[in-house]
């Protein structure tokens, strides 16, 4: 096993779901029951970056409890609702939270987004079709950026501290970078020399020409 592989193994988390990190972070503020955890995630907009449903949330809470990162504090009884178990962060859980956060913030990790896969195989598409598809992507990127900008503005108006919105600033930066990249890529795909080269390689009657 290489040193890099050993490093990866050493950092394998007992509960590696990103939702677990959000739960630990929420419990750092105060003990909560799972229903309240979910409500807080929605209120703060964290559900845009951390996808979950009620079942997955309760499963992660159970896993964190089994790992000793959180512990039952009390059971709340309300005649109008079922019993709810309130969980609190343990000392081990606090250490896990900070260790995990330090790793994520300081250490870049190569990811494999679907768009990256498409780009690696983009040459099989007819240049005109590729340009049309990428143009649709630019429109979608602009729409997403506008939605994020509007949501962030509303949150700031409600008094949300900027540091709790920084992930949205990051998303906007990524969207802006991707838009500039895609725009430049479109220019490259429309260049006459590229179109001629593509025709030579994939033109009608040749392998990968799109004929059935």
């Amino acid at each position: 096993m290489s040193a890099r592989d050993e490093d990866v193994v050493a950092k394998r988390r007992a509960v590696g779901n990103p939702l677990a990190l959000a739960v630990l972070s929420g419990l750092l503020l105060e003990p909560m029951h799972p229903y309240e955890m979910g409500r807080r995630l929605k209120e703060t907009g964290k559900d845009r970056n951390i996808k979950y449903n009620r079942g997955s949330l309760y499963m992660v809470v159970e896993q964190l409890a089994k790992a000793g990162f959180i512990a039952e504090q009390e059971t709340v009884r309300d005649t109008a609702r079922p019993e709810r178990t309130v969980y609190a962060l343990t000392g081990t859980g606090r250490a896990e939270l900070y260790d995990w956060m330090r790793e994520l913030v300081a250490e870049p990790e190569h990811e494999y987004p679907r768009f990256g896969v498409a780009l690696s195989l983009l040459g099989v598409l007819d240049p005109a079709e590729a340009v049309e598809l990428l143009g649709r992507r630019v429109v979608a990127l602009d729409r997403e950026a506008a939605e994020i900008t509007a949501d962030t503005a509303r949150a700031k108006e409600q008094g949300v501290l900027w540091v709790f919105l920084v992930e949205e600033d990051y998303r906007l930066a990524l969207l802006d970078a991707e838009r500039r990249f895609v725009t430049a890529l479109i220019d490259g795909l429309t260049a006459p020399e590229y179109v001629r080269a593509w025709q030579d390689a994939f033109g009608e009657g040749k392998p990968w020409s799109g004929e059935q």
Side-chain angles (χ1 to χ4, degrees):
M1 181 181 294
S2 68
R4 180 178 177 82
D5 290 336
E6 290 176 353
D7 187 51
V8 170
V9 171
K11 292 182 179 179
R12 185 171 295 157
R13 301 289 169 182
V15 187
N17 190 324
L19 179 57
L21 185 62
V23 170
L24 294 175
S25 178
L27 292 179
L28 183 65
L29 300 176
E30 62 177 324
M32 286 183 282
H33 51 73
Y35 177 83
E36 179 66 13
M37 297 174 195
R39 189 178 69 82
R40 295 278 183 91
L41 284 172
K42 287 185 177 297
E43 284 183 348
T44 57
K46 305 306 179 190
D47 59 325
R48 290 194 294 271
N49 296 289
I50 303 172
K51 302 302 180 184
Y52 76 97
N53 55 42
R54 181 179 178 183
S56 62
L57 177 57
Y58 277 85
M59 181 182 70
V60 162
V61 167
E62 182 178 338
Q63 292 172 340
L64 289 171
K66 184 177 180 180
F69 297 145
I70 65 176
E72 296 183 9
Q73 185 180 68
E74 62 177 327
T75 299
V76 178
R77 291 178 172 82
D78 187 332
T79 56
R81 297 174 179 174
E83 291 184 351
R84 292 180 176 176
T85 301
V86 174
Y87 291 88
L89 191 65
T90 65
T92 303
R94 182 185 294 265
E96 174 72 1
L97 167 63
Y98 285 120
D99 182 64
W100 198 350
M101 280 296 299
R102 287 166 182 145
E103 175 191 331
L104 290 177
V105 172
E107 301 175 19
E109 179 179 353
H110 184 69
E111 299 175 349
Y112 300 89
R114 295 196 310 167
F115 187 46
V117 176
L119 289 174
S120 71
L121 303 171
L122 189 64
V124 304
L125 290 178
D126 181 284
E129 182 181 11
V131 167
E132 191 273 331
L133 293 170
L134 289 169
R136 285 159 53 183
R137 188 177 189 91
V138 168
V139 172
L141 291 171
D142 287 343
R143 181 170 58 248
E144 184 177 355
E147 292 173 355
I148 294 173
T149 300
D151 290 342
T152 301
R154 283 194 293 270
K156 290 179 178 178
E157 289 174 358
Q158 295 169 2
V160 177
L161 191 62
W162 68 268
V163 73
F164 295 115
L165 299 170
V166 72
E167 77 276 14
E168 303 299 349
D169 292 334
Y170 175 66
R171 289 175 65 196
L172 283 173
L174 291 180
L175 289 171
D176 179 63
E178 182 175 335
R179 191 189 193 288
R180 286 185 279 109
F181 172 82
V182 171
T183 300
L185 179 57
I186 289 173
D187 291 340
L189 292 172
T190 56
E193 57 269 27
Y194 172 75
V195 175
R196 286 194 298 269
W198 188 90
Q199 288 292 342
D200 289 342
F202 300 103
E204 186 176 353
K206 295 184 178 182
W208 297 94
S209 66
E211 291 186 344
Q212 299 297 322

